[in-house]
Amino acid sequence: MGDQVDRDAILFANEAFYRAFAGRNFAAMDDLWAKNRPVACIHPGWGPLAGRAEVMASWEAILNHPSQPAVTCHAPVVQVHGDTAYVLCFEEVGGTFLLATNIFIRDGGVWRMVHHQAGPTSAVPPRQEAET
């Protein structure tokens, strides 16, 4: 049961990340990222960013950019390894897909993001069957 609770909490944190992204909500984005652990990020086409100040400055610039297209998450898959977990998923951006890896750590009982990386792919997410 604990594994499923963790998986649900991680998926919730992952969904909160994409909601903050889609809603251009920097305060929510800032709250999701770990504050006392090393963090890193690799945006598509960018070099690696390391350190909270640099990573959060990148998110502030992206979220404030007026032509930033909408981003949605598809087919997230969670892997949990103790107090560390990652989500592999597809990001839909402007009608094309990227693959993303989002890494989370358990910090005081809350799953916080420590790494995000997205890049191009020729794959598409598996079709999601309609719930009956």
CSV table of all heavy atoms in Angstrom, one decimal, residues 11-77:
chain,number,residue,atom,x,y,z
A,11,LEU,N,2.9,11.2,-8.7
A,11,LEU,CA,2.1,11.7,-9.9
A,11,LEU,C,1.4,13.0,-9.6
A,11,LEU,O,1.3,13.8,-10.5
A,11,LEU,CB,1.1,10.6,-10.3
A,11,LEU,CG,1.7,9.4,-11.0
A,11,LEU,CD1,0.6,8.3,-11.1
A,11,LEU,CD2,2.2,9.7,-12.3
A,12,PHE,N,1.0,13.2,-8.4
A,12,PHE,CA,0.4,14.5,-8.0
A,12,PHE,C,1.4,15.6,-8.2
A,12,PHE,O,1.1,16.7,-8.7
A,12,PHE,CB,-0.2,14.4,-6.6
A,12,PHE,CG,-0.9,15.6,-6.1
A,12,PHE,CD1,-2.2,15.9,-6.5
A,12,PHE,CD2,-0.2,16.6,-5.4
A,12,PHE,CE1,-2.8,17.1,-6.1
A,12,PHE,CE2,-0.8,17.8,-5.0
A,12,PHE,CZ,-2.1,18.0,-5.3
A,13,ALA,N,2.6,15.4,-7.6
A,13,ALA,CA,3.7,16.4,-7.8
A,13,ALA,C,4.0,16.7,-9.2
A,13,ALA,O,4.2,17.8,-9.6
A,13,ALA,CB,4.9,16.0,-7.0
A,14,ASN,N,4.1,15.6,-10.0
A,14,ASN,CA,4.3,15.7,-11.5
A,14,ASN,C,3.2,16.5,-12.1
A,14,ASN,O,3.5,17.4,-13.0
A,14,ASN,CB,4.5,14.3,-12.1
A,14,ASN,CG,5.1,14.4,-13.5
A,14,ASN,OD1,6.3,14.7,-13.6
A,14,ASN,ND2,4.3,14.0,-14.5
A,15,GLU,N,2.0,16.2,-11.8
A,15,GLU,CA,0.9,17.0,-12.4
A,15,GLU,C,0.9,18.4,-12.0
A,15,GLU,O,0.6,19.3,-12.7
A,15,GLU,CB,-0.5,16.3,-12.0
A,15,GLU,CG,-1.7,17.0,-12.5
A,15,GLU,CD,-1.8,17.0,-14.1
A,15,GLU,OE1,-1.2,16.1,-14.7
A,15,GLU,OE2,-2.5,17.9,-14.6
A,16,ALA,N,1.3,18.7,-10.7
A,16,ALA,CA,1.4,20.1,-10.2
A,16,ALA,C,2.5,20.8,-11.0
A,16,ALA,O,2.3,22.0,-11.3
A,16,ALA,CB,1.7,20.1,-8.7
A,17,PHE,N,3.6,20.1,-11.4
A,17,PHE,CA,4.6,20.8,-12.2
A,17,PHE,C,4.0,21.2,-13.5
A,17,PHE,O,4.2,22.3,-13.9
A,17,PHE,CB,5.7,19.8,-12.4
A,17,PHE,CG,6.7,20.2,-13.4
A,17,PHE,CD1,7.7,21.2,-13.2
A,17,PHE,CD2,6.8,19.5,-14.6
A,17,PHE,CE1,8.6,21.5,-14.1
A,17,PHE,CE2,7.7,19.9,-15.6
A,17,PHE,CZ,8.6,20.9,-15.3
A,18,TYR,N,3.3,20.3,-14.2
A,18,TYR,CA,2.7,20.7,-15.5
A,18,TYR,C,1.6,21.7,-15.4
A,18,TYR,O,1.4,22.5,-16.3
A,18,TYR,CB,2.3,19.4,-16.3
A,18,TYR,CG,3.6,18.7,-16.8
A,18,TYR,CD1,4.0,17.6,-16.1
A,18,TYR,CD2,4.3,19.2,-17.9
A,18,TYR,CE1,5.2,17.0,-16.6
A,18,TYR,CE2,5.4,18.6,-18.3
A,18,TYR,CZ,5.9,17.5,-17.7
A,18,TYR,OH,7.1,16.9,-18.1
A,19,ARG,N,0.9,21.7,-14.3
A,19,ARG,CA,-0.2,22.7,-14.1
A,19,ARG,C,0.5,24.1,-13.9
A,19,ARG,O,0.0,25.1,-14.4
A,19,ARG,CB,-1.1,22.4,-12.9
A,19,ARG,CG,-2.1,21.3,-13.3
A,19,ARG,CD,-3.0,21.0,-12.1
A,19,ARG,NE,-3.8,19.9,-12.4
A,19,ARG,CZ,-5.1,20.1,-12.8
A,19,ARG,NH1,-5.6,21.3,-12.9
A,19,ARG,NH2,-5.9,19.0,-13.1
A,20,ALA,N,1.6,24.1,-13.1
A,20,ALA,CA,2.3,25.4,-12.9
A,20,ALA,C,2.9,25.9,-14.3
A,20,ALA,O,2.8,27.1,-14.6
A,20,ALA,CB,3.4,25.2,-11.9
A,21,PHE,N,3.4,24.9,-15.0
A,21,PHE,CA,4.0,25.3,-16.4
A,21,PHE,C,2.9,25.8,-17.3
A,21,PHE,O,3.0,26.9,-17.8
A,21,PHE,CB,4.5,24.0,-16.9
A,21,PHE,CG,5.6,24.1,-18.0
A,21,PHE,CD1,6.4,23.1,-18.3
A,21,PHE,CD2,5.8,25.3,-18.7
A,21,PHE,CE1,7.4,23.2,-19.3
A,21,PHE,CE2,6.7,25.4,-19.7
A,21,PHE,CZ,7.5,24.4,-20.0
A,22,ALA,N,1.8,25.1,-17.4
A,22,ALA,CA,0.7,25.5,-18.3
A,22,ALA,C,0.0,26.8,-17.8
A,22,ALA,O,-0.3,27.7,-18.6
A,22,ALA,CB,-0.4,24.4,-18.4
A,23,GLY,N,0.0,27.0,-16.5
A,23,GLY,CA,-0.7,28.2,-15.9
A,23,GLY,C,0.3,29.4,-15.8
A,23,GLY,O,-0.1,30.4,-15.3
A,24,ARG,N,1.6,29.2,-16.2
A,24,ARG,CA,2.6,30.2,-16.1
A,24,ARG,C,2.6,30.8,-14.6
A,24,ARG,O,2.8,32.0,-14.4
A,24,ARG,CB,2.3,31.4,-17.0
A,24,ARG,CG,2.4,30.9,-18.5
A,24,ARG,CD,2.0,32.0,-19.4
A,24,ARG,NE,1.9,31.6,-20.8
A,24,ARG,CZ,2.6,32.0,-21.8
A,24,ARG,NH1,3.5,33.0,-21.6
A,24,ARG,NH2,2.5,31.5,-23.0
A,25,ASN,N,2.6,29.8,-13.7
A,25,ASN,CA,2.5,30.2,-12.3
A,25,ASN,C,3.9,30.0,-11.6
A,25,ASN,O,4.2,28.9,-11.2
A,25,ASN,CB,1.4,29.4,-11.6
A,25,ASN,CG,1.2,29.7,-10.1
A,25,ASN,OD1,2.1,30.3,-9.5
A,25,ASN,ND2,0.1,29.4,-9.6
A,26,PHE,N,4.7,31.0,-11.6
A,26,PHE,CA,6.1,30.9,-11.1
A,26,PHE,C,6.1,30.6,-9.6
A,26,PHE,O,6.9,29.8,-9.2
A,26,PHE,CB,6.9,32.2,-11.4
A,26,PHE,CG,8.3,32.0,-10.8
A,26,PHE,CD1,9.2,31.2,-11.4
A,26,PHE,CD2,8.6,32.7,-9.6
A,26,PHE,CE1,10.5,31.1,-10.9
A,26,PHE,CE2,9.9,32.6,-9.1
A,26,PHE,CZ,10.8,31.8,-9.8
A,27,ALA,N,5.2,31.1,-8.8
A,27,ALA,CA,5.2,30.8,-7.4
A,27,ALA,C,4.9,29.3,-7.2
A,27,ALA,O,5.6,28.7,-6.3
A,27,ALA,CB,4.1,31.7,-6.7
A,28,ALA,N,4.0,28.7,-7.9
A,28,ALA,CA,3.7,27.3,-7.8
A,28,ALA,C,4.9,26.5,-8.3
A,28,ALA,O,5.3,25.5,-7.6
A,28,ALA,CB,2.5,26.9,-8.6
A,29,MET,N,5.6,26.9,-9.4
A,29,MET,CA,6.7,26.2,-9.9
A,29,MET,C,7.9,26.3,-8.8
A,29,MET,O,8.5,25.3,-8.5
A,29,MET,CB,7.2,26.9,-11.2
A,29,MET,CG,8.4,26.2,-11.8
A,29,MET,SD,8.2,24.5,-12.4
A,29,MET,CE,7.2,24.9,-13.9
A,30,ASP,N,8.1,27.4,-8.3
A,30,ASP,CA,9.1,27.6,-7.3
A,30,ASP,C,8.9,26.7,-6.1
A,30,ASP,O,9.8,26.1,-5.5
A,30,ASP,CB,9.2,29.1,-6.9
A,30,ASP,CG,10.3,29.4,-5.9
A,30,ASP,OD1,11.5,29.2,-6.3
A,30,ASP,OD2,10.1,29.8,-4.8
A,31,ASP,N,7.6,26.6,-5.7
A,31,ASP,CA,7.3,25.7,-4.5
A,31,ASP,C,7.6,24.3,-4.7
A,31,ASP,O,7.8,23.5,-3.8
A,31,ASP,CB,5.8,26.0,-4.1
A,31,ASP,CG,5.5,25.4,-2.8
A,31,ASP,OD1,6.3,25.6,-1.8
A,31,ASP,OD2,4.5,24.6,-2.7
A,32,LEU,N,7.5,23.8,-6.0
A,32,LEU,CA,7.7,22.4,-6.3
A,32,LEU,C,9.1,21.9,-6.2
A,32,LEU,O,9.4,20.8,-6.0
A,32,LEU,CB,7.2,22.1,-7.7
A,32,LEU,CG,5.7,22.2,-7.9
A,32,LEU,CD1,5.3,22.3,-9.4
A,32,LEU,CD2,5.0,21.0,-7.3
A,33,TRP,N,10.0,22.8,-6.5
A,33,TRP,CA,11.5,22.5,-6.5
A,33,TRP,C,12.1,22.5,-5.1
A,33,TRP,O,11.8,23.3,-4.3
A,33,TRP,CB,12.2,23.5,-7.4
A,33,TRP,CG,12.0,23.2,-8.9
A,33,TRP,CD1,10.9,23.6,-9.6
A,33,TRP,CD2,12.8,22.5,-9.8
A,33,TRP,NE1,11.0,23.2,-10.9
A,33,TRP,CE2,12.2,22.5,-11.0
A,33,TRP,CE3,14.0,21.9,-9.7
A,33,TRP,CZ2,12.7,21.9,-12.2
A,33,TRP,CZ3,14.6,21.3,-10.8
A,33,TRP,CH2,14.0,21.3,-12.0
A,34,ALA,N,13.0,21.5,-4.9
A,34,ALA,CA,13.6,21.3,-3.6
A,34,ALA,C,14.4,22.6,-3.3
A,34,ALA,O,15.0,23.2,-4.2
A,34,ALA,CB,14.6,20.1,-3.6
A,35,LYS,N,14.4,23.0,-2.1
A,35,LYS,CA,15.1,24.3,-1.7
A,35,LYS,C,16.4,24.0,-1.0
A,35,LYS,O,17.3,24.9,-1.0
A,35,LYS,CB,14.2,25.1,-0.8
A,35,LYS,CG,13.0,25.6,-1.5
A,35,LYS,CD,12.0,26.4,-0.6
A,35,LYS,CE,10.9,27.0,-1.3
A,35,LYS,NZ,10.1,26.1,-2.2
A,36,ASN,N,16.6,22.8,-0.4
A,36,ASN,CA,17.8,22.5,0.3
A,36,ASN,C,18.6,21.3,-0.3
A,36,ASN,O,19.4,20.7,0.5
A,36,ASN,CB,17.4,22.2,1.8
A,36,ASN,CG,16.8,23.4,2.4
A,36,ASN,OD1,17.2,24.5,2.3
A,36,ASN,ND2,15.6,23.2,3.0
A,37,ARG,N,18.3,21.0,-1.5
A,37,ARG,CA,19.1,19.9,-2.2
A,37,ARG,C,19.6,20.5,-3.5
A,37,ARG,O,19.0,21.4,-4.1
A,37,ARG,CB,18.1,18.7,-2.4
A,37,ARG,CG,17.5,18.2,-1.2
A,37,ARG,CD,18.5,17.3,-0.4
A,37,ARG,NE,17.9,16.7,0.8
A,37,ARG,CZ,17.4,15.5,0.8
A,37,ARG,NH1,17.5,14.7,-0.3
A,37,ARG,NH2,16.8,15.0,1.9
A,38,PRO,N,20.6,19.9,-4.0
A,38,PRO,CA,21.1,20.3,-5.4
A,38,PRO,C,20.0,20.0,-6.4
A,38,PRO,O,19.4,19.0,-6.4
A,38,PRO,CB,22.3,19.4,-5.6
A,38,PRO,CG,22.7,18.9,-4.3
A,38,PRO,CD,21.5,18.8,-3.5
A,39,VAL,N,19.8,20.9,-7.3
A,39,VAL,CA,18.9,20.8,-8.4
A,39,VAL,C,19.5,21.1,-9.8
A,39,VAL,O,20.6,21.8,-9.8
A,39,VAL,CB,17.6,21.7,-8.3
A,39,VAL,CG1,16.9,21.3,-7.0
A,39,VAL,CG2,18.0,23.1,-8.3
A,40,ALA,N,19.0,20.5,-10.8
A,40,ALA,CA,19.5,20.7,-12.2
A,40,ALA,C,18.3,20.7,-13.2
A,40,ALA,O,17.3,20.1,-12.9
A,40,ALA,CB,20.5,19.7,-12.5
A,41,CYS,N,18.6,21.2,-14.4
A,41,CYS,CA,17.5,21.2,-15.4
A,41,CYS,C,18.2,21.3,-16.7
A,41,CYS,O,19.2,22.0,-16.9
A,41,CYS,CB,16.6,22.4,-15.1
A,41,CYS,SG,15.2,22.5,-16.2
A,42,ILE,N,17.6,20.6,-17.7
A,42,ILE,CA,18.1,20.7,-19.1
A,42,ILE,C,16.8,20.9,-19.9
A,42,ILE,O,16.0,20.0,-20.2
A,42,ILE,CB,18.8,19.5,-19.6
A,42,ILE,CG1,20.1,19.2,-18.7
A,42,ILE,CG2,19.3,19.7,-21.0
A,42,ILE,CD1,20.8,17.9,-19.0
A,43,HIS,N,16.6,22.2,-20.4
A,43,HIS,CA,15.5,22.5,-21.2
A,43,HIS,C,15.9,22.1,-22.7
A,43,HIS,O,17.1,22.1,-23.0
A,43,HIS,CB,15.2,24.0,-21.2
A,43,HIS,CG,14.8,24.5,-19.9
A,43,HIS,ND1,13.6,24.1,-19.2
A,43,HIS,CD2,15.4,25.4,-19.0
A,43,HIS,CE1,13.6,24.8,-18.1
A,43,HIS,NE2,14.6,25.5,-17.9
A,44,PRO,N,14.9,21.8,-23.5
A,44,PRO,CA,15.2,21.4,-24.9
A,44,PRO,C,16.1,22.5,-25.6
A,44,PRO,O,15.7,23.7,-25.6
A,44,PRO,CB,13.9,21.2,-25.6
A,44,PRO,CG,12.9,21.0,-24.5
A,44,PRO,CD,13.5,21.7,-23.3
A,45,GLY,N,17.2,22.1,-26.1
A,45,GLY,CA,18.0,23.1,-26.9
A,45,GLY,C,19.0,23.9,-26.0
A,45,GLY,O,19.7,24.7,-26.5
A,46,TRP,N,18.8,23.8,-24.7
A,46,TRP,CA,19.7,24.6,-23.7
A,46,TRP,C,20.8,23.7,-23.3
A,46,TRP,O,20.8,22.5,-23.3
A,46,TRP,CB,18.9,25.0,-22.5
A,46,TRP,CG,17.7,25.9,-22.7
A,46,TRP,CD1,16.9,26.0,-23.7
A,46,TRP,CD2,17.3,26.9,-21.8
A,46,TRP,NE1,15.9,27.0,-23.5
A,46,TRP,CE2,16.2,27.6,-22.3
A,46,TRP,CE3,17.8,27.4,-20.6
A,46,TRP,CZ2,15.5,28.6,-21.7
A,46,TRP,CZ3,17.1,28.4,-19.9
A,46,TRP,CH2,16.0,29.0,-20.5
A,47,GLY,N,21.8,24.3,-22.7
A,47,GLY,CA,22.8,23.6,-22.0
A,47,GLY,C,22.3,23.3,-20.6
A,47,GLY,O,21.3,23.7,-20.2
A,48,PRO,N,23.1,22.5,-19.8
A,48,PRO,CA,22.7,22.1,-18.5
A,48,PRO,C,22.7,23.3,-17.5
A,48,PRO,O,23.6,24.2,-17.6
A,48,PRO,CB,23.7,21.1,-18.0
A,48,PRO,CG,24.9,21.3,-18.9
A,48,PRO,CD,24.4,21.9,-20.2
A,49,LEU,N,21.7,23.4,-16.7
A,49,LEU,CA,21.6,24.4,-15.6
A,49,LEU,C,21.8,23.7,-14.3
A,49,LEU,O,21.1,22.7,-14.0
A,49,LEU,CB,20.2,25.1,-15.7
A,49,LEU,CG,19.9,25.8,-17.0
A,49,LEU,CD1,18.4,26.3,-17.0
A,49,LEU,CD2,20.8,26.9,-17.3
A,50,ALA,N,22.6,24.3,-13.4
A,50,ALA,CA,22.8,23.6,-12.1
A,50,ALA,C,22.7,24.7,-11.0
A,50,ALA,O,23.1,25.9,-11.2
A,50,ALA,CB,24.2,23.0,-12.0
A,51,GLY,N,22.1,24.3,-9.9
A,51,GLY,CA,21.9,25.2,-8.8
A,51,GLY,C,20.5,25.8,-8.8
A,51,GLY,O,20.0,26.1,-9.9
A,52,ARG,N,19.9,26.0,-7.7
A,52,ARG,CA,18.5,26.5,-7.6
A,52,ARG,C,18.4,27.9,-8.2
A,52,ARG,O,17.4,28.1,-8.9
A,52,ARG,CB,18.0,26.5,-6.1
A,52,ARG,CG,16.5,26.6,-6.1
A,52,ARG,CD,16.0,26.3,-4.7
A,52,ARG,NE,14.6,26.0,-4.7
A,52,ARG,CZ,13.7,26.9,-5.0
A,52,ARG,NH1,13.9,28.1,-5.2
A,52,ARG,NH2,12.4,26.5,-5.0
A,53,ALA,N,19.3,28.8,-8.0
A,53,ALA,CA,19.1,30.1,-8.5
A,53,ALA,C,19.1,30.1,-10.0
A,53,ALA,O,18.2,30.8,-10.6
A,53,ALA,CB,20.2,31.0,-8.0
A,54,GLU,N,20.0,29.4,-10.6
A,54,GLU,CA,20.0,29.3,-12.1
A,54,GLU,C,18.8,28.6,-12.7
A,54,GLU,O,18.2,29.1,-13.6
A,54,GLU,CB,21.3,28.6,-12.5
A,54,GLU,CG,21.6,28.7,-14.0
A,54,GLU,CD,22.9,28.1,-14.4
A,54,GLU,OE1,23.6,27.4,-13.6
A,54,GLU,OE2,23.3,28.4,-15.5
A,55,VAL,N,18.4,27.5,-12.0
A,55,VAL,CA,17.2,26.8,-12.5
A,55,VAL,C,16.0,27.6,-12.4
A,55,VAL,O,15.2,27.7,-13.3
A,55,VAL,CB,17.1,25.4,-11.8
A,55,VAL,CG1,15.8,24.8,-12.1
A,55,VAL,CG2,18.3,24.5,-12.1
A,56,MET,N,15.8,28.2,-11.3
A,56,MET,CA,14.5,29.0,-11.1
A,56,MET,C,14.5,30.3,-11.9
A,56,MET,O,13.5,30.7,-12.4
A,56,MET,CB,14.3,29.4,-9.6
A,56,MET,CG,14.1,28.1,-8.7
A,56,MET,SD,13.1,26.8,-9.4
A,56,MET,CE,11.6,27.6,-9.6
A,57,ALA,N,15.7,30.9,-12.2
A,57,ALA,CA,15.7,32.0,-13.1
A,57,ALA,C,15.3,31.6,-14.5
A,57,ALA,O,14.6,32.3,-15.2
A,57,ALA,CB,17.1,32.6,-13.1
A,58,SER,N,15.7,30.4,-14.9
A,58,SER,CA,15.3,29.9,-16.2
A,58,SER,C,13.7,29.7,-16.3
A,58,SER,O,13.1,30.0,-17.3
A,58,SER,CB,16.0,28.6,-16.6
A,58,SER,OG,15.4,27.4,-15.9
A,59,TRP,N,13.2,29.1,-15.2
A,59,TRP,CA,11.7,28.9,-15.2
A,59,TRP,C,11.0,30.3,-15.2
A,59,TRP,O,10.0,30.4,-15.8
A,59,TRP,CB,11.3,28.1,-14.0
A,59,TRP,CG,11.6,26.6,-14.3
A,59,TRP,CD1,12.5,25.8,-13.6
A,59,TRP,CD2,11.0,25.8,-15.3
A,59,TRP,NE1,12.5,24.6,-14.2
A,59,TRP,CE2,11.6,24.5,-15.2
A,59,TRP,CE3,10.0,26.0,-16.2
A,59,TRP,CZ2,11.2,23.5,-16.0
A,59,TRP,CZ3,9.6,25.0,-17.1
A,59,TRP,CH2,10.2,23.7,-17.0
A,60,GLU,N,11.5,31.2,-14.5
A,60,GLU,CA,10.9,32.5,-14.4
A,60,GLU,C,10.9,33.2,-15.8
A,60,GLU,O,9.8,33.7,-16.3
A,60,GLU,CB,11.6,33.5,-13.4
A,60,GLU,CG,10.8,34.8,-13.2
A,60,GLU,CD,11.3,35.6,-12.1
A,60,GLU,OE1,12.6,35.4,-11.7
A,60,GLU,OE2,10.6,36.3,-11.5
A,61,ALA,N,12.0,33.0,-16.6
A,61,ALA,CA,12.1,33.6,-17.9
A,61,ALA,C,11.1,32.8,-18.9
A,61,ALA,O,10.4,33.4,-19.7
A,61,ALA,CB,13.5,33.5,-18.4
A,62,ILE,N,11.0,31.5,-18.7
A,62,ILE,CA,10.2,30.7,-19.6
A,62,ILE,C,8.7,31.1,-19.3
A,62,ILE,O,7.9,31.3,-20.3
A,62,ILE,CB,10.4,29.2,-19.4
A,62,ILE,CG1,11.8,28.8,-20.0
A,62,ILE,CG2,9.3,28.4,-20.0
A,62,ILE,CD1,12.3,27.5,-19.7
A,63,LEU,N,8.3,31.1,-18.1
A,63,LEU,CA,6.9,31.3,-17.7
A,63,LEU,C,6.5,32.7,-18.0
A,63,LEU,O,5.3,33.0,-18.2
A,63,LEU,CB,6.7,31.0,-16.2
A,63,LEU,CG,6.9,29.5,-15.9
A,63,LEU,CD1,6.7,29.3,-14.4
A,63,LEU,CD2,6.1,28.6,-16.7
A,64,ASN,N,7.4,33.7,-18.1
A,64,ASN,CA,7.1,35.0,-18.4
A,64,ASN,C,7.1,35.4,-19.9
A,64,ASN,O,6.8,36.5,-20.3
A,64,ASN,CB,7.9,36.0,-17.6
A,64,ASN,CG,7.6,36.1,-16.1
A,64,ASN,OD1,6.4,35.9,-15.8
A,64,ASN,ND2,8.6,36.3,-15.3
A,65,HIS,N,7.6,34.4,-20.6
A,65,HIS,CA,7.8,34.7,-22.1
A,65,HIS,C,6.4,34.6,-22.7
A,65,HIS,O,5.7,33.6,-22.6
A,65,HIS,CB,8.7,33.6,-22.7
A,65,HIS,CG,9.2,34.0,-24.1
A,65,HIS,ND1,8.4,33.8,-25.2
A,65,HIS,CD2,10.3,34.6,-24.5
A,65,HIS,CE1,9.1,34.3,-26.2
A,65,HIS,NE2,10.2,34.7,-25.8
A,66,PRO,N,5.9,35.7,-23.4
A,66,PRO,CA,4.6,35.7,-23.9
A,66,PRO,C,4.3,34.7,-25.0
A,66,PRO,O,3.1,34.3,-25.2
A,66,PRO,CB,4.5,37.1,-24.5
A,66,PRO,CG,5.9,37.6,-24.7
A,66,PRO,CD,6.7,36.9,-23.7
A,67,SER,N,5.3,34.2,-25.7
A,67,SER,CA,4.9,33.2,-26.8
A,67,SER,C,5.2,31.8,-26.4
A,67,SER,O,5.3,30.9,-27.2
A,67,SER,CB,5.7,33.6,-28.1
A,67,SER,OG,7.1,33.4,-27.8
A,68,GLN,N,5.4,31.5,-25.1
A,68,GLN,CA,5.6,30.2,-24.6
A,68,GLN,C,4.4,29.3,-24.9
A,68,GLN,O,3.3,29.7,-24.5
A,68,GLN,CB,5.9,30.2,-23.1
A,68,GLN,CG,5.9,28.8,-22.5
A,68,GLN,CD,7.0,27.9,-23.0
A,68,GLN,OE1,8.1,28.4,-23.3
A,68,GLN,NE2,6.7,26.6,-23.2
A,69,PRO,N,4.5,28.3,-25.7
A,69,PRO,CA,3.3,27.5,-26.0
A,69,PRO,C,2.9,26.6,-24.8
A,69,PRO,O,3.6,26.4,-23.9
A,69,PRO,CB,3.8,26.5,-27.2
A,69,PRO,CG,5.3,26.5,-27.0
A,69,PRO,CD,5.7,27.8,-26.4
A,70,ALA,N,1.6,26.2,-24.9
A,70,ALA,CA,1.1,25.3,-23.8
A,70,ALA,C,1.8,24.0,-23.8
A,70,ALA,O,2.3,23.5,-24.8
A,70,ALA,CB,-0.4,25.1,-24.1
A,71,VAL,N,2.0,23.5,-22.6
A,71,VAL,CA,2.7,22.2,-22.4
A,71,VAL,C,1.8,21.3,-21.6
A,71,VAL,O,1.2,21.7,-20.6
A,71,VAL,CB,4.0,22.4,-21.7
A,71,VAL,CG1,4.7,21.0,-21.4
A,71,VAL,CG2,4.9,23.3,-22.4
A,72,THR,N,1.6,20.0,-22.1
A,72,THR,CA,0.8,19.1,-21.4
A,72,THR,C,1.5,17.8,-21.3
A,72,THR,O,2.4,17.4,-22.1
A,72,THR,CB,-0.6,18.8,-22.1
A,72,THR,OG1,-0.4,18.4,-23.4
A,72,THR,CG2,-1.5,20.0,-22.1
A,73,CYS,N,1.3,17.0,-20.2
A,73,CYS,CA,1.9,15.8,-19.9
A,73,CYS,C,1.0,14.6,-20.4
A,73,CYS,O,-0.2,14.6,-20.1
A,73,CYS,CB,2.2,15.7,-18.4
A,73,CYS,SG,2.9,14.1,-17.8
A,74,HIS,N,1.7,13.6,-21.0
A,74,HIS,CA,1.0,12.4,-21.4
A,74,HIS,C,1.7,11.2,-20.9
A,74,HIS,O,3.0,11.2,-20.9
A,74,HIS,CB,0.9,12.3,-22.9
A,74,HIS,CG,0.1,13.4,-23.5
A,74,HIS,ND1,-1.3,13.4,-23.6
A,74,HIS,CD2,0.5,14.6,-24.0
A,74,HIS,CE1,-1.7,14.6,-24.2
A,74,HIS,NE2,-0.7,15.3,-24.4
A,75,ALA,N,1.0,10.1,-20.6
A,75,ALA,CA,1.5,8.8,-20.3
A,75,ALA,C,2.7,8.8,-19.2
A,75,ALA,O,3.7,8.2,-19.5
A,75,ALA,CB,2.0,8.1,-21.6
A,76,PRO,N,2.5,9.4,-18.1
A,76,PRO,CA,3.5,9.4,-17.1
A,76,PRO,C,3.7,8.0,-16.5
A,76,PRO,O,2.7,7.3,-16.2
A,76,PRO,CB,3.0,10.4,-16.0
A,76,PRO,CG,1.6,10.4,-16.1
A,76,PRO,CD,1.3,10.1,-17.6
A,77,VAL,N,5.0,7.6,-16.3
A,77,VAL,CA,5.3,6.3,-15.7
A,77,VAL,C,6.3,6.6,-14.5
A,77,VAL,O,7.3,7.3,-14.7
A,77,VAL,CB,6.0,5.4,-16.7
A,77,VAL,CG1,6.5,4.1,-16.0
A,77,VAL,CG2,5.1,5.1,-17.9
